[in-house]
Every structure is written in C-alpha cells, then in structure tokens.
Amino acid sequence: MSRQPRKTDPGAEIHAAGSEGKAWRLTEGVVRFDSVGADGHGSFASLAIAGDLIGCETLLFGCYTFRATALTHCRLDPWPEGGVADKPALLASLNRIQQRAADLVALRGGQASERVLGLIRLLTDRNGRVILPTRQDIADITDLRFETISRIVKQLERDQVIRSIRLDGVHATRSFALA
Amino acid sequence: MSRQPRKTDPGAEIHAAGSEGKAWRLTEGVVRFDSVGADGHGSFASLAIAGDLIGCETLLFGCYTFRATALTHCRLDPWPEGGVADKPALLASLNRIQQRAADLVALRGGQASERVLGLIRLLTDRNGRVILPTRQDIADITDLRFETISRIVKQLERDQVIRSIRLDGVHATRSFALA
DNA sequence: CGAGCACTTGATCTATGTCAACGGTAGTGG
DNA sequence: CCACTACCGTTGACATAGATCAAGTGCTCG
C-alpha cells in the first residue's frame, strides 16, 4: 500500500508533535515547525520550503518531533519515493537541513528590515514570485512583532523593492513579485 | 591509515570553509560554524557541542561548507568510527542536527537574559559546570552585543543563578557552576 | 615595561515593542 | 439581501530594552 500525495490549506496542522507518521517531501508551499512544551504551547523551531523533507525523524522514532503547520497551500509527497531511504538520499537531506538551519539563524539576526527581506528572498520562486505567510507567522519566524512586519512590508512596497501581484486564491496582501 | 583524534585551543580555526577534509565527532568542547561570504567575512551559522558531528557534509561533497572555530578547548575524534557511516548513524546525526537547529533558533528570540541563560544551560555539563565562550562569541550566537552579555552575566552572578568557579587553564570570567 | 585583549561600567540614543484605534474581507446565519 | 463576527492588516503615539559610545581595569605575553 503506497501512500498518496497530500494537499493542505494555509493554517492547517499537518501533524502534531509526538504523533505517529511517516516522512514526506514538501513539493510546494511553506511549512513551519514548532517545539511544543509540556503546557501545549508551541514556539517556532524551524521552516521547510519546497524541496525540503518533513518528518525524517520518523525513520528513527516512528513519530514526529515538532508540530508542523502549513503557512501556504502545500503539497506533500511520500518519502522516500521507493519506500526505503538510501545513504546518498540521507546525506543529501542531512545537508539540506544543515543549510536551512543556517538560513534560519540569519533570519533572526541584524536589522528588522534585512530579516524580513531575507525571508522574502528565501521564499521567492525562480520566477521572482513570493506568497508570504501571514504577518504574524513572519513575525514568529523573524522574532519581530506583526506590527513591525506590517510596517516593513509596506515600506518595501513603497520603495518598490517588492510589488503586489494578484494570484487567485491568495490574499492580496500576501502575493508579491520582486522588483 | 586511520586518523588520529585532534585537540584544539580556544580560538583556533578547525577548518576553513570550502577546504577538503573528513568528518569528526566533537567529544569535548564547543565549536562555532560561520558562513563565509565572497568577501571572506563570516557570519555565525551554527554551533556544535560535545557529542555533535562536525563536517558530515564532507561525506557528500568532500569539503566543508562552513568555517569551524573552537570556542573552548576541544577534542575531535574521527567519524564514522569504523570508516563507513551506516544508515542508523546517519539518521541519528540528522536528528541531532535538527534538534540543535531548533535550540539555536530559540537562543535568538525573546528577552536578552533568557537567551544568555538558554545558552548557558545548553553548554552546562551533567555536573552543572560550564565553560563559556568569550563575551563576543556569546554575543554572536545570541545576536546581542558583548557589552550586553557582560552586563547579563554579571547580573546572573549577582542574582546567584551562576557562581564563578576556578578551573585551571580557563579564564576566571568563563567558568561557572549553576546555582 | 608596554601592547594587546577581554571584560566591566556609566551615560545616552534609537530601533523596535507596546497599546490603541480603525478598515477590509470572508464567512455565517437570519 | 443585510447584520454580525472573526480575522488579518494598517497606522499612530508613546515606552523601553538593548545598542552605541566612551572610559577605565586587569591579565598575559613579549
């Protein structure tokens, strides 16, 4: 029995921390991971963007370490494709996780506007389009406040660093093209 | 020909970004990793503490992605022990890297004193002892300024959250015991 | 002894947080 | 259709944590 690809809406929980499940490759969208404390409250831990793996810790433990939440429309494909992960695939994902971690650290240091711009660049596709998470999610990722994010995004728009575009099914405040 | 364990002094470069080499397990000490830009300037990217792997990306690329610098006296053992990494070992390190990344993200968010305390806890051994990096390195890790770190560490000492201890070969301002 | 480093501490400044009010849009139920 | 609610985003006024600038201490090494 092979698993099916899975699609999610923005805001939907993909899996809870500690729940059982398998690993996936995120082929479209953005996912946030949260560490969940004993009280059930979560704090932002990591991010996955298209191409990243989700839940590879299940290969070791059988259950997920973090809570995963879709920040945009997402598509998840079962991983590993053949059902069994080989060593080169593991090495590649290990490397990707390491790189992503360095990106995240960079998004939490320096000037507020640089951080937001950094995240926008990270999320921009090869056509120069971005679908942003909500202001609150951007704030959680960058450790800023949503009011600050709102001001910065507006300012980037005024400075014509980004320009609002219209994609169907996406809030007007969240789809942009890089200038 | 099997490689020898390696020891380093605080401040020493363990390897440069892009240089060729193998993977190691850090058995003692703390190491910082920096992304190195085209201009040769580095920015803090990640941290390894005792038990973590260093340079597992060499299994894939043959060379190191980041610059590695010893923050304390360190001991490095060749990895994998047998010369070839098996899948369970890879999965375990993948998991460890993921966990470490979440720790790091947490160290860069919230109140300054909480971040510093978080780092201190992360670096404390099972006997409640810590050897801290320099104030500047702590600042780079937490994205604060060294003056701020100095004030916070002193305050933690005054509040008796930590207490200065004397370890030979270590600056008096850097070895502490948790209260 | 002098130079260089790491650390400490005080005074002041400022980027960002906080609080508050309001607008737009989607959904829901009458 | 409208009324109502629930979000999400925007904007202004003001507060403050931490940055910045500056001066001085103590240690180590040549």
Side-chain angles (χ1 to χ4, degrees):
Chain A
M1 170 220 114
S2 91
R3 290 177 293 145
Q4 294 303 306
R6 188 175 158 194
K7 301 212 170 199
T8 68
D9 286 331
E13 177 173 294
I14 293 173
H15 59 244
S19 64
E20 292 190 7
K22 305 276 191 161
W24 305 84
R25 182 176 299 280
L26 180 66
T27 47
E28 278 171 41
V30 183
V31 172
R32 71 177 274 183
F33 299 103
D34 287 83
S35 303
V36 178
D39 59 353
H41 281 182
S43 66
F44 175 77
S46 185
L47 202 64
I49 67 179
D52 290 359
L53 292 186
I54 290 184
C56 21
E57 68 272 19
T58 58
L59 297 184
L60 195 61
F61 301 131
C63 60
Y64 300 107
T65 307
F66 303 103
R67 165 162 16 106
T69 315
L71 297 187
T72 62
H73 287 282
C74 288
R75 183 189 153 138
L76 301 157
D77 289 356
W79 187 88
E81 279 80 4
V84 184
D86 58 347
K87 263 172 45 179
L90 282 179
L91 279 173
S93 27
L94 194 149
N95 200 66
R96 200 171 178 113
I97 287 172
Q98 212 170 235
Q99 188 60 56
R100 189 67 61 239
D103 293 341
L104 276 190
V105 163
L107 290 181
R108 287 183 150 233
Q111 292 255 111
S113 55
E114 282 305 309
R115 296 193 218 177
V116 176
L117 200 46
L119 179 61
I120 291 175
R121 292 215 179 91
L122 190 65
L123 300 183
T124 300
D125 67 18
R126 84 191 73 91
N127 302 314
R129 306 291 176 81
V130 219
I131 297 175
L132 293 181
T134 64
R135 303 287 183 264
Q136 182 59 58
D137 280 316
I138 299 177
D140 292 343
I141 295 166
T142 54
D143 189 51
L144 297 164
R145 301 290 143 175
F146 69 91
E147 296 96 326
T148 305
I149 305 298
S150 182
R151 287 183 237 265
I152 290 172
V153 171
K154 259 274 134 51
Q155 190 57 46
L156 289 173
E157 222 177 323
R158 278 192 280 265
D159 295 349
Q160 300 182 31
V161 177
I162 57 177
R163 148 177 63 85
S164 179
I165 59 177
R166 193 47 77 112
L167 297 180
D168 38 288
V170 179
H171 278 255
T173 50
R174 288 186 211 155
S175 47
F176 294 92
L178 282 204
Chain B
M1 171 221 111
S2 90
R3 291 178 292 145
Q4 293 304 307
R6 190 176 157 194
K7 300 211 171 201
T8 69
D9 286 330
E13 178 173 293
I14 294 173
H15 58 244
S19 64
E20 293 189 7
K22 304 276 191 161
W24 305 83
R25 181 177 300 280
L26 180 65
T27 48
E28 279 171 39
V30 183
V31 171
R32 72 177 274 183
F33 299 104
D34 288 83
S35 303
V36 178
D39 58 355
H41 281 183
S43 66
F44 174 77
S46 186
L47 202 63
I49 68 181
D52 291 358
L53 292 186
I54 290 184
C56 24
E57 68 273 19
T58 59
L59 298 183
L60 194 61
F61 302 131
C63 60
Y64 300 107
T65 308
F66 303 103
R67 165 163 17 106
T69 315
L71 297 188
T72 63
H73 287 283
C74 287
R75 180 187 156 140
L76 301 157
D77 289 355
W79 188 88
E81 279 79 5
V84 185
D86 57 349
K87 265 173 44 178
L90 283 178
L91 279 174
S93 29
L94 194 148
N95 200 66
R96 199 170 179 115
I97 288 172
Q98 212 169 236
Q99 189 59 54
R100 190 67 61 240
D103 293 341
L104 275 190
V105 163
L107 291 181
R108 288 184 148 232
Q111 292 255 112
S113 55
E114 283 305 308
R115 296 194 218 177
V116 176
L117 201 46
L119 179 62
I120 291 175
R121 292 216 180 91
L122 190 65
L123 300 184
T124 300
D125 67 17
R126 84 190 75 91
N127 303 316
R129 306 292 176 82
V130 219
I131 297 174
L132 293 181
T134 64
R135 303 288 183 263
Q136 182 60 60
D137 281 316
I138 299 177
D140 292 344
I141 294 166
T142 54
D143 189 52
L144 296 164
R145 301 293 143 174
F146 70 91
E147 296 97 326
T148 305
I149 305 298
S150 180
R151 287 183 237 266
I152 289 172
V153 171
K154 260 272 132 56
Q155 190 59 47
L156 290 174
E157 223 177 321
R158 279 192 280 263
D159 295 349
Q160 300 182 34
V161 177
I162 58 177
R163 144 177 66 85
S164 179
I165 59 176
R166 190 50 73 114
L167 297 179
D168 38 287
V170 178
H171 278 255
T173 49
R174 288 186 209 153
S175 47
F176 293 92
L178 282 205

